Amino acid sequence: MARSFLKSSLENATFNIVFQILFRCITFVLNAFVLRYVSQAVVGVMNVRLLLLESTILYLSREAFRRACLSKTTEHNWAQVVNLLWLTVPLCQLCCLVFGYVWLHVLEPPSEDITQHYALGVWSICVSCVVEMCCEPVYLVSQAFLFVRLKVVLDTALVLVRTAIFVPLIVHSPNRAVVAFSVAQLASATVYSLGFYAYFYAYIRDRNRRAALRKKDGPAPADDPDDDFPFRSLYDFLPAKVDGLPPIDRRLAALTWSFFKQGVLKQVLTEGERYVMTVSSVLSFREQGMYDVVNNLGSLAARFLFRPVEDAAYFYFSQMVHRDASIQEQNQKHMAESSGVLRRLLRCIASLGLVILVFGQSYATLLLALYGGARLARGPGPVLMRFHCLSVLLLAVNGITECYAFATMSTGQLDRYNLLMAVLSVSFLFVSWALTTLLGGVGFILANCCNMAARIAHSVIFIRDKYSSTAYNPLSGLVPGRLFLLALFAAGVVTKISEEYLFEDHKLLHLCIGAASFAVVLLSWAYEERELVALGVGKWRQRRASLKQD
């Protein structure tokens, strides 16, 4: 299979961004709908307690395997990789037993006044996680062989099935919201897993049919793209004996173990505030529901834009840069390209994060009022949203710098980084508990900012040292252009004055002033980054031309 990793990574990011926009729009409307039917306490149970259980099980069961097995996929023995990936199923079952018991018998359950179906919610999460793990080998093959659209289609199907089941059940029985959540969770996980197997069954069947037809016409050409796909049957996705080799690749197993140790700590850092909420009960379920609503609104950009870009960037850098070789020892054409991609990514992400930070200070209250009404816009909501904007900026920068570091660190460097992550994890939990006790929900956000700042510092030092003896300077992308920064500062002053004097009586005018200010900021950025804009326009035109030809 002829591959262009940069092209496929960009395509993957584009499709994922489109999907995430769709997904977040559906979730955005769904949450607004749910808030009008169920209490904030029930929202806290579903969106904080139960989804934290799902996140914990899935991350610990599969994230390390995905990161390790997506490194240098052209060099894999796929039978060994499949055997390794099936270890995710018993690992997931073990996690379900351990964390299911903790969620049911160790943590304080919600009172029956909030919900009587908490146990059903816990076990539905556990079963759905095991179902998803059964398609992990097929999922990874789809990623490695660049079946970009397949993942997007099935992710969309998962969201649509979950929504189509959850909404009618909520309307019919608002007091049985957790039951509706559980049924939707199980159904969507089943559709998602079966979808992967159904697609590859049809793909392999058609591929084998084409091979049989070509065989009648003589030997296949040397550059036949079908020969690059090593799977001839769905049975090839099942564990099997590997002739003359160990059942699993020991190098990949060692890399997986390094990522797993790191993943435990990263999960604590990523979901730290939810763990603190869940374990220490510093916030009531109602307060957790309020925090979750504001957190989801404040993290829209991070979820539908930053994460897909990070996933595509990790895949790209892991293919272009060897982990165990210095920059000078590698293909210099690849190094120049990857350095330029990293610099441009940092420039775009940092600029977007700054825009969110500046405009969020003046439009947090308006956003909450439009989303959840006056009740959501009063009290601590706007303050939480403004602090979230700072968190989004740090999250954006941390995502790109850390994904490059993880994609290019050697196994030894990953192990040393685990020690730092351990220190950060303990520190983060302590700081979260202390700041939340003093400041409430804002304390969670400030603790998260401290955590991400420390991780950014480590990744920046790693990247700086890696390129220290070369002519490349990708970290220059962290500082946007002067004209853009000047326009952004002016926009921040104008919109803050507008909020102070116009928001209460002239909300539409306040919104129009923000739109005009944003247009000025966008034009200033486009002028300074005209080379990047021209490149993007050229790629878009090429894409349109190729679609017309097809």
Side-chain angles (χ1 to χ4, degrees):
M1 183 182 294
R3 305 182 187 192
S4 170
F5 290 118
L6 178 58
K7 179 182 177 182
S8 61
S9 297
L10 290 173
E11 186 180 33
N12 191 17
T14 302
F15 280 117
N16 273 284
I17 289 170
V18 172
F19 162 73
Q20 288 293 341
I21 291 173
L22 172 65
F23 172 67
R24 287 302 148 190
C25 287
I26 294 174
T27 305
F28 186 84
V29 175
L30 182 61
N31 284 341
F33 171 82
V34 168
L35 285 171
R36 286 159 173 79
Y37 279 84
V38 303
S39 67
Q40 291 180 4
V42 176
V43 172
V45 172
M46 294 188 299
N47 289 2
V48 177
R49 180 68 69 87
L50 293 179
L51 290 185
L52 177 63
L53 175 62
E54 180 189 42
S55 170
T56 301
I57 293 173
L58 290 180
Y59 192 91
L60 295 181
S61 300
R62 71 189 185 189
E63 188 68 16
F65 291 86
R66 286 184 176 184
R67 287 192 174 274
C69 294
L70 282 175
S71 298
K72 288 297 175 184
T73 55
T74 56
E75 301 173 3
H76 285 341
N77 181 307
W78 281 101
Q80 291 180 311
V81 172
V82 167
N83 288 343
L84 178 64
L85 288 171
W86 274 104
L87 294 179
T88 60
V89 176
L91 178 60
C92 180
Q93 293 170 335
L94 177 62
C95 289
C96 288
L97 290 174
V98 172
F99 291 109
Y101 178 85
V102 170
W103 254 245
L104 287 173
H105 302 292
V106 178
L107 301 177
E108 179 184 357
S111 66
E112 292 191 359
D113 294 337
I114 298 175
T115 179
Q116 300 177 357
H117 310 103
Y118 175 67
L120 173 64
V122 170
W123 289 118
S124 70
I125 290 291
C126 293
V127 174
S128 67
C129 288
V130 174
V131 171
E132 282 197 42
M133 282 305 104
C134 291
C135 75
E136 195 60 21
V138 193
Y139 169 88
L140 193 126
V141 168
S142 72
Q143 292 292 96
F145 287 89
L146 312 178
F147 291 86
V148 177
R149 293 176 179 82
L150 173 63
K151 178 179 180 295
V152 176
V153 169
L154 291 178
D155 283 345
T156 304
L158 184 146
V159 173
L160 294 178
V161 169
R162 184 178 296 173
T163 304
I165 294 174
F166 183 68
V167 170
L169 292 177
I170 281 287
V171 174
H172 183 265
S173 301
N175 60 331
R176 299 169 68 87
V178 176
V179 175
F181 173 89
S182 303
V183 173
Q185 189 77 17
L186 289 169
S188 59
T190 302
V191 169
Y192 181 77
S193 298
L194 291 177
F196 273 106
Y197 283 104
Y199 175 84
F200 275 102
Y201 172 78
Y203 176 81
I204 293 173
R205 181 193 59 191
D206 292 345
R207 184 178 166 281
N208 290 342
R209 186 172 61 222
R210 291 194 305 269
L213 291 174
R214 283 196 303 270
K215 189 175 182 180
K216 294 179 180 179
D217 299 332
D223 59 347
D224 184 1
D226 280 343
D227 285 343
D228 193 54
F229 190 76
F231 298 90
R232 302 292 183 264
S233 163
L234 282 186
Y235 289 109
D236 292 341
F237 292 105
L238 298 177
K241 182 179 179 181
V242 184
D243 295 334
L245 293 171
I248 61 176
D249 187 325
R250 292 172 182 170
R251 179 186 61 83
L252 279 182
L255 188 59
T256 302
W257 177 240
S258 294
F259 277 124
F260 181 81
K261 291 183 291 184
Q262 179 191 101
V264 173
L265 301 173
K266 187 177 180 181
Q267 176 66 7
V268 172
L269 291 172
T270 302
E271 300 282 7
E273 69 271 15
R274 296 175 185 265
Y275 286 119
V276 174
M277 286 184 203
T278 299
V279 174
S280 65
S281 298
V282 292
L283 300 179
S284 67
F285 281 108
R286 184 182 181 281
E287 291 171 325
Q288 290 179 29
M290 169 66 79
Y291 176 86
D292 181 73
V293 170
V294 174
N295 182 54
N296 284 335
L297 283 173
S299 303
L300 282 175
R303 294 176 186 275
F304 76 68
L305 180 59
F306 298 154
R307 182 59 188 270
V309 171
E310 290 167 21
D311 290 343
Y314 177 84
F315 178 75
Y316 169 71
F317 290 129
S318 66
Q319 307 305 309
M320 297 293 287
V321 183
H322 290 276
R323 293 181 179 276
D324 299 309
S326 66
I327 297 296
Q328 294 88 343
E329 297 172 333
Q330 304 192 47
N331 185 311
Q332 291 306 299
K333 182 179 179 181
H334 289 178
M335 295 305 98
E337 180 185 292
S338 59
S339 174
V341 169
L342 177 58
R343 180 177 58 82
R344 288 176 174 140
L345 272 177
L346 289 175
R347 179 68 61 89
C348 293
I349 290 294
S351 299
L352 181 57
L354 285 171
V355 168
I356 293 171
L357 173 62
V358 170
F359 283 89
Q361 305 311 303
S362 302
Y363 290 91
T365 306
L366 179 61
L367 176 61
L368 291 175
L370 292 173
Y371 183 64
R375 184 179 63 176
L376 193 61
R378 290 194 298 265
V383 176
L384 287 173
M385 183 65 72
R386 292 185 182 105
F387 277 93
H388 258 299
C389 293
L390 172 61
S391 177
V392 168
L393 170 61
L394 295 174
L395 184 66
V397 176
N398 177 67
I400 296 301
T401 55
E402 198 168 67
C403 91
Y404 180 87
F406 287 166
T408 59
M409 280 181 177
S410 66
T411 302
Q413 288 171 324
L414 286 170
D415 287 335
R416 288 193 295 273
Y417 186 61
N418 289 338
L419 298 177
L420 175 63
M421 293 283 276
V423 175
L424 288 177
S425 299
V426 175
S427 302
F428 173 63
L429 293 177
F430 174 76
V431 171
S432 293
W433 175 82
L435 290 179
T436 305
T437 303
L438 293 173
L439 303 173
V442 171
F444 280 125
I445 302 172
L446 290 177
N448 207 31
C449 290
C450 295
N451 157 45
M452 286 186 289
R455 290 162 64 179
I456 289 171
H458 179 273
S459 299
V460 165
I461 292 171
F462 170 82
I463 296 171
R464 183 199 65 190
D465 292 344
K466 195 171 189 68
Y467 287 96
S468 60
S469 56
T470 71
Y472 309 121
N473 184 24
L475 292 177
S476 62
L478 285 172
V479 182
R482 294 181 180 178
L483 180 61
F484 168 76
L485 292 176
L486 180 62
L488 195 59
F489 175 78
V493 173
V494 170
T495 54
K496 201 63 185 174
I497 294 173
S498 172
E499 182 186 36
E500 182 69 25
Y501 293 101
L502 299 176
F503 175 73
E504 290 297 331
D505 301 319
H506 305 283
K507 292 181 173 60
L508 182 58
L509 179 58
H510 174 56
L511 183 61
C512 291
I513 290 173
S517 301
F518 176 76
V520 172
V521 170
L522 184 61
L523 288 173
S524 68
W525 183 87
Y527 175 76
E528 287 192 318
E529 304 295 334
R530 49 192 178 276
E531 179 183 347
L532 180 59
V533 172
L535 178 63
V537 171
K539 294 292 184 182
W540 178 72
R541 288 176 176 172
Q542 289 178 7
R543 179 71 176 172
R544 284 193 63 188
S546 63
L547 289 175
K548 288 181 180 179
Q549 291 175 359
D550 294 340

